[in-house]
């Protein structure tokens, strides 16, 4: 695939007023979320839940792309429609998570490196056959008293770059996700310093591996204080620090930045995105700023559904409402009072 084709896909993924639905939870992870609402982790229940997400009427108006899991891209709805075909019917671009998880980094206690490069070229070829047009790989960086180490940052940056190069070789747009975890007592200043260093290393490695920046999407953390920090940062502070971090680290050639929610609650994730886009409008920044949320889009869906087929339509409305609010935030047009119009906003 030519660079032009990769660029077109990447730009479509961050189309103004749209974001990315992350639904690439592994079977154990989705099992934990199902269990939390009293639903057994069976394949039939996973199919039913994924059908609610992907068959939500009008979802393609706010969601440009959906990140699937290996099981999902091979599954079909109860009626027999393959999920990749359902995604395309909604006008949404199908993608796939391709890493195999974060594992303990040797000789670096408490730190992880993401694995999955072995056999990736062959797996990418298979995913193209299923209709995938982009991929995602997540690295995790932990902030603590002695971490992150340079070894951890560099190992994960190198793996992200090698993954991205393989994706582009296969004609797939890579989502590059270096997540700086929100867990911990660190301040927003520490978060800023770690995120800047991580993203600088990532782009250095992307350059060394020959990755075409016009044909990729960055999925970073917001710069935010740790969940256990006694002085939590406010919305404007998070937005300002995050934009400053992007300006320090992200080349203008990257078409878009799709933020992860990283453990923020639904409303907080929307507020931060909205504030960033309002500030960005005054600064003529080169990238589109949007969302690639999982739990911050799905929380209310699960709470509403709880395995009850009669609640499927109501659960879809909850997803559509949350997606619309974040789509507005990606344009800087969200307002808090919209939170109280769930039923009207979902229709």
């Amino acid at each position: 695939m030519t660079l032009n084709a990769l660029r077109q896909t990447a730009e479509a993924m961050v189309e103004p007023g749209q974001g990315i639905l992350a639904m690439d939870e592994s079977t154990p992870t989705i099992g934990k979320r199902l269990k939390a609402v009293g639903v057994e982790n069976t394949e039939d229940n996973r199919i039913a839940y994924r059908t609610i997400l992907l068959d939500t009427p009008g979802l393609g108006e706010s969601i440009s792309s959906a990140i699937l899991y290996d099981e999902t891209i091979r599954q079909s709805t109860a009626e027999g429609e393959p999920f990749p075909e359902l995604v395309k019917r909604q006008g949404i671009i199908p993608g796939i998570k391709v890493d195999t998880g974060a594992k303990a980094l040797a000789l670096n206690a408490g730190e992880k490196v993401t694995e999955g490069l072995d056999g990736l070229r062959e797996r990418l070829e298979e995913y193209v056959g299923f209709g995938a047009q982009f991929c995602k790989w997540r690295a995790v960086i932990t902030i603590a008293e002695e971490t992150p180490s340079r070894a951890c940052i560099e190992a994960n940056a190198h793996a992200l770059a090698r993954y991205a190069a393989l994706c582009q070789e296969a004609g797939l747009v890579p989502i590059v996700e270096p997540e700086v975890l929100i867990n911990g007592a660190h301040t927003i200043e520490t978060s800023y310093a770690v995120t800047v260093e991580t993203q600088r290393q990532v782009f250095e490695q992307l350059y060394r591996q020959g990755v075409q920046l016009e044909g990729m999407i960055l999925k970073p953390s917001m710069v935010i204080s740790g969940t256990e920090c006694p002085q939590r940062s406010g919305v404007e502070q998070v937005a300002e620090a995050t934009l400053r971090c992007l300006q320090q680290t992200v080349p203008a050639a990257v078409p878009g930045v799709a933020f992860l929610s990283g453990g923020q609650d639904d409303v907080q994730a929307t507020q931060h995105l909205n504030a960033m886009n309002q500030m960005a409008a005054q600064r003529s920044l080169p990238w589109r700023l949007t969302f690639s949320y999982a739990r911050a889009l799905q929380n209310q869906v699960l709470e509403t559904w709880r395995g009850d087929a009669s609640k499927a339509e109501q659960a879809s409305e909850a997803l559509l409402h949350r997606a619309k609010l974040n789509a507005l935030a990606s344009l800087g047009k969200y307002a808090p009072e919209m939170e109280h119009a769930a039923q009207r906003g979902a229709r």
Side-chain angles (χ1 to χ4, degrees):
M1 183 176 288
T2 64
L3 173 59
N4 188 52
L6 288 169
R7 182 193 294 114
Q8 287 178 354
T9 299
E11 289 178 349
M13 290 169 64
V14 291
E15 188 75 20
Q18 292 190 314
I20 301 170
L21 170 62
M23 48 176 294
D24 54 322
E25 301 91 346
S26 66
T27 301
T29 298
I30 197 172
K32 292 176 185 176
R33 296 182 188 173
L34 292 173
K35 183 179 179 181
V37 295
V39 179
E40 187 180 357
N41 187 18
T42 65
E43 184 173 11
D44 285 347
N45 283 337
R46 293 194 297 274
I47 288 173
Y49 177 60
R50 289 161 177 163
T51 300
I52 289 171
L53 294 176
L54 294 175
D55 206 22
T56 292
L59 187 64
E61 295 174 12
S62 302
I63 298 295
S64 67
S65 326
I67 311 171
L68 308 181
Y69 179 58
D70 180 81
E71 179 185 66
T72 316
I73 204 168
R74 303 173 189 275
Q75 286 177 327
S76 300
T77 66
E79 290 71 35
E81 183 176 20
F83 278 129
E85 294 304 314
L86 171 56
V87 171
K88 291 178 182 177
R89 178 165 60 80
Q90 288 274 51
I92 295 170
I93 302 169
I96 180 74
K97 169 189 172 179
V98 298
D99 68 73
T100 57
K103 309 295 170 60
L105 179 62
L107 303 181
N108 288 268
E111 297 191 287
K112 296 181 181 294
V113 63
T114 303
E115 298 183 350
L117 290 172
D118 289 349
L120 181 56
R121 179 179 277 116
E122 292 72 28
R123 287 190 288 125
L124 292 177
E125 183 178 351
E126 182 182 23
Y127 290 139
V128 168
F130 281 116
Q133 293 178 248
F134 71 93
C135 297
K136 192 206 83 165
W137 179 291
R138 172 179 177 254
V140 293
I141 306 296
T142 302
I143 298 178
E145 190 172 340
E146 301 294 332
T147 62
S149 66
R150 178 163 292 277
C152 178
I153 293 175
E154 290 184 355
N156 279 292
H158 181 70
L160 279 166
R162 288 187 59 199
Y163 137 82
L166 284 164
C167 285
Q168 291 191 340
E169 177 188 83
L172 296 160
V173 171
I175 292 181
V176 174
E177 180 179 356
E179 178 175 3
V180 177
L181 297 178
I182 195 175
N183 314 77
H186 54 273
T187 64
I188 191 171
E189 290 80 12
T190 298
S191 175
Y192 175 83
V194 171
T195 307
V196 165
E197 178 61 20
T198 298
Q199 290 177 186
R200 281 178 175 167
Q201 289 296 326
V202 166
F203 280 102
E204 172 68 17
Q205 290 296 324
L206 289 168
Y207 168 75
R208 291 186 180 279
Q209 295 296 324
V211 174
Q212 302 296 311
L213 301 184
E214 299 92 335
M216 63 159 279
I217 301 296
L218 179 67
K219 181 174 178 175
S221 314
M222 297 180 193
V223 176
I224 189 169
S225 49
T227 53
E228 298 167 27
C229 180
Q231 275 139 14
R232 299 301 308 282
S233 42
V235 171
E236 297 297 312
Q237 189 180 8
V238 169
E240 176 63 41
T242 303
L243 291 185
R244 187 157 41 92
C245 175
L246 295 181
Q247 289 177 295
Q248 290 290 322
T249 61
V250 183
V254 175
V257 176
F259 291 98
L260 56 92
S261 53
Q264 301 175 62
D265 68 41
D266 303 2
V267 176
Q268 188 181 50
T270 306
Q271 290 175 332
H272 286 149
L273 179 65
N274 187 66
M276 279 188 277
N277 275 288
Q278 289 181 341
M279 289 182 184
Q282 308 300 318
R283 304 185 188 187
S284 301
L285 299 181
W287 331 275
R288 295 173 185 164
L289 305 179
T290 189
F291 60 96
S292 178
Y293 296 163
R295 280 172 289 179
L297 284 173
Q298 297 182 45
N299 283 335
Q300 194 56 50
V301 183
L302 275 170
E303 287 290 338
T304 302
W305 174 58
R306 290 181 173 269
D308 184 347
S310 70
K311 298 290 183 63
E313 183 177 352
Q314 192 177 347
S316 287
E317 289 176 349
L319 173 63
L320 192 64
H321 178 65
R322 196 80 243 154
K324 284 182 175 180
L325 292 185
N326 283 297
L328 288 169
S330 74
L331 299 171
K333 296 181 178 180
Y334 162 86
E337 56 267 25
M338 297 173 179
E339 295 290 343
H340 307 295
Q343 294 303 316
R344 296 194 304 277
R347 298 178 187 277

